[in-house]
Amino acid sequence: MTVYLVGAGPGDPALLTVRGAELLRRAEVVVYDRLSARELLDLAPAGALRLDVGKQPGGGPSTPQEEINALLVEHGLAGRTVVRLKGGDPYVFARGAEEAAALAAAGVDYEVVPGITSAVAVPAAAGIPVTLRYSSTSLTVVTGHEDPTKDHTDVDWEALARLRGTLVILMGVAHLPEITRRLLAGGLPPDTPAAAVRWGTRPDQETVRATLGTLHEHRLRAPATIVVGEVARQRLDWFERRPLFGRRVVVTRTRAQAGVLSARLRELGAAVEEVPVIRVEDPVDGGAALARAVAAVGSYDWVVLTSPNGAARFCAGLRDGRDLAGVRLAAIGPGTAQVLAEHHLVADLVPERYVAEGLLEAFADPPGTGGRVLLARAAVARDVLPEGLRSRGWGVDVVPAYRTVPVELDEADVRRIAASDVVTFTSSSTVEHLVAAVGPDAVPPVVACIGPVTAATARELGLAVTVEAPVHTVDGLVDALVGHLAPEPS
Ligand code: SAH
């Protein structure tokens, strides 16, 4: 088959090309190293072989280039679809050319998929455009990896100094003092603006702004992109100004439901740690009671759904939407109503307050002849609704639509939680299982809950609740968190 040399982009996994994503989705082998985002590996099929040829964290040995070439040739000759993921662009200081040449020599088909290079994307994320009309008329991308003190060097730093354009130096941290000396010797003024950006486009991006004369005095660490030139004076720093930039936020809800919350948090700049502490499973009866109730759904006046999971399972059991003719639907909040909407069902009732008490308040009394309510929900839930409805004269059938079970956390999960600034809870069960797993003292300092019920559970379990969302939706939770961590100046 073909070996694809795919640019993984500068760090943010969302900056992969469409072609790159398409190829990853059907890769049989993925060969990667530390500069490509780990999240990209999740795009590959579950059964794909994932081979790490990069440096281990902490500076362990990386696989020699000849071995990487041999690996690509071997899997290519074996007829597999191979994606060689390379940070940024595969040909920008990345030895993609050597890999392509090795494949060509071995008669293996290959294709090169360009990537967004860190040379332009990283400065942009740090607020620095790489060219600027009138003041920066050239852009030179140069490697700082060569030892500038050795007798022969291919980089003519003095000539670059005379260009007066933008210099983007990759792999330059280790040799920066010597590079600086030679740029100064070439006549570049010491007060020329300069910046170093570590882990650009990622949530842990760090920017140091200085001048050519002083940048090397800062404690810089690889991998960093260094920019020297007038452009480095620019501060178009939209990226680091996002309200949750620099915050590490744990998302505890199920893997299937985490997406929307995680995406919103990331857009606002947060580093998101998805640690699902619960999983949704069939109720103990395997869903038999729900199936029976759904089969007789026409005999109810109302179906009440108190969570997106309950709504999803109820809808999945419906044979035909027409079975609901004459039956009204109540959803506890917009998230639950949204699930109904996805099945072309409109909720007749969504209360103003998205809690059981709010739903109860909004619910009408039964007609004189009495009425029946089907409540499809989690196996374990509060009694507020069924008891309240019954006391109002409704006949209520409560059926378990699903149950939440704890997910076993491993050591890495516990470490990720401990290293975070914020934890988000979207249900009581997420609080219970997280606290059971790590104990109340290992929970991150900022505790954000979707509403009063979840917050009450958190308090009962010994947590200090920092944020309780006044609007009990994912958006409401995120807004409340932003309001707390990054209030708009009044
Ligand atoms: N092919 C890559 C560059 C590989 S050389 C590309 O096109 O981006 C590796 C160097 O790139 C690093 O030492 C660093 O200087 C730079 N680099 C890569 N990713 C980076 C990131 N997220 N932030 C800052 N610099 C990065």
Side-chain angles (χ1 to χ4, degrees):
M1 278 312 218
T2 306
V3 176
Y4 299 92
L5 305 181
V6 177
D12 177 353
L15 296 177
L16 177 73
T17 62
V18 173
R19 177 68 175 150
E22 195 178 280
L23 291 169
L24 268 175
R25 278 194 203 101
R26 57 185 172 84
E28 292 167 286
V29 182
V30 183
V31 181
Y32 66 98
D33 50 51
R34 76 166 183 149
L35 281 182
S36 31
R38 285 296 174 275
E39 293 90 331
L40 293 181
L41 299 180
D42 295 340
L43 289 181
L49 190 59
R50 292 159 166 80
L51 300 172
D52 183 359
V53 294
K55 284 203 180 69
Q56 310 301 319
S62 54
T63 311
Q65 187 62 47
E66 301 70 48
E67 273 178 45
I68 300 176
N69 296 351
L71 203 63
L72 297 177
V73 167
E74 178 198 323
H75 287 289
L77 287 177
R80 301 188 181 111
T81 302
V82 183
V83 169
R84 165 64 169 128
L85 257 191
K86 300 178 71 70
D89 180 87
Y91 278 168
V92 176
F93 299 126
R95 307 185 75 168
E98 290 163 56
E99 294 172 4
L103 291 163
V108 177
D109 286 340
Y110 65 93
E111 187 181 311
V112 180
V113 181
I116 299 179
T117 179
S118 56
V120 296
V122 168
I128 301 171
V130 286
T131 69
L132 209 54
R133 212 171 169 209
Y134 306 124
S135 63
S136 303
T137 54
S138 72
L139 164 63
T140 308
V141 180
V142 54
T143 173
H145 190 55
E146 293 211 331
D147 185 349
T149 57
K150 70 184 182 194
D151 294 344
H152 170 76
T153 162
D154 291 332
V155 181
D156 186 345
W157 293 100
E158 290 78 6
L160 293 179
R162 284 192 295 278
L163 265 180
R164 291 294 195 272
T166 301
L167 287 181
V168 173
I169 307 167
L170 302 186
M171 298 179 283
V173 170
H175 296 309
L176 187 59
E178 189 53 26
I179 292 171
T180 303
R181 192 189 62 71
R182 291 192 51 189
L183 289 173
L184 293 174
L188 207 53
D191 62 355
T192 306
V197 190
R198 181 167 200 249
W199 287 131
T201 76
R202 302 196 343 169
D204 45 353
Q205 168 174 309
E206 282 174 51
T207 305
V208 174
R209 286 170 175 275
T211 61
L212 175 60
T214 59
L215 186 63
H216 68 274
E217 292 164 8
H218 293 263
R219 227 183 113 253
L220 304 177
R221 281 187 303 158
T225 293
I226 294 166
V227 189
V228 179
E230 270 310 304
V231 291
R233 204 186 289 288
Q234 297 290 314
R235 289 177 174 270
L236 305 168
D237 43 359
W238 56 277
F239 188 88
E240 294 183 19
R241 278 173 190 274
R242 291 171 305 162
L244 297 181
F245 179 76
R247 313 284 187 162
R248 194 161 285 274
V249 182
V250 181
V251 170
T252 54
R253 64 197 327 217
T254 61
R255 176 89 52 214
Q257 288 187 304
V260 182
L261 176 55
S262 301
R264 276 225 60 203
L265 291 168
R266 285 197 183 104
E267 244 170 41
L268 294 165
V272 174
E273 297 287 3
E274 281 188 6
V275 186
V277 298
I278 55 169
R279 198 173 57 228
V280 170
E281 285 197 350
D282 282 341
V284 195
D285 69 356
L290 178 66
R292 275 195 307 275
V294 172
V297 73
S299 66
Y300 293 97
D301 299 280
W302 281 92
V303 174
V304 173
L305 300 159
T306 55
S307 66
N309 282 320
R313 291 199 163 224
F314 170 77
C315 291
L318 268 183
R319 190 184 57 98
D320 184 322
R322 287 169 294 186
D323 294 347
L324 286 171
V327 181
R328 277 170 293 174
L329 295 170
I332 197 161
T336 303
Q338 174 61 33
V339 174
L340 292 175
E342 284 158 16
H343 292 83
H344 304 287
L345 298 171
V346 178
D348 299 286
L349 173 64
V350 181
E352 271 175 30
R353 283 192 306 133
Y354 312 141
V355 287
E357 289 78 358
L359 188 56
L360 195 56
E361 254 168 54
F363 220 83
D365 286 332
T369 48
R372 297 183 67 217
V373 174
L374 170 62
L375 178 52
R377 60 177 195 172
V380 176
R382 297 188 305 145
D383 290 327
V384 173
L385 257 183
E387 282 177 3
L389 290 172
R390 281 185 191 119
S391 73
R392 303 256 296 271
W394 288 100
V396 182
D397 286 344
V398 180
V399 297
Y402 64 97
R403 68 194 164 114
T404 56
V405 295
V407 172
E408 188 87 11
L409 302 190
D410 61 24
E411 261 179 48
D413 293 330
V414 174
R415 268 200 306 276
R416 283 157 69 209
I417 294 170
S420 294
D421 309 297
V422 180
V423 59
T424 57
F425 293 119
T426 49
S427 66
S428 289
S429 59
T430 55
V431 187
E432 284 156 6
H433 296 310
L434 184 96
V435 173
V438 303
D441 299 329
V443 171
V446 174
V447 173
C449 295
I450 198 163
V453 180
T454 305
T457 306
R459 288 192 193 98
E460 275 162 34
L461 294 174
L463 304 187
V465 174
T466 328
V467 173
E468 181 183 312
V471 178
H472 318 317
T473 58
V474 164
D475 284 348
L477 175 63
V478 173
D479 290 347
L481 184 61
V482 168
H484 175 77
L485 292 175
E488 299 213 22
S490 49

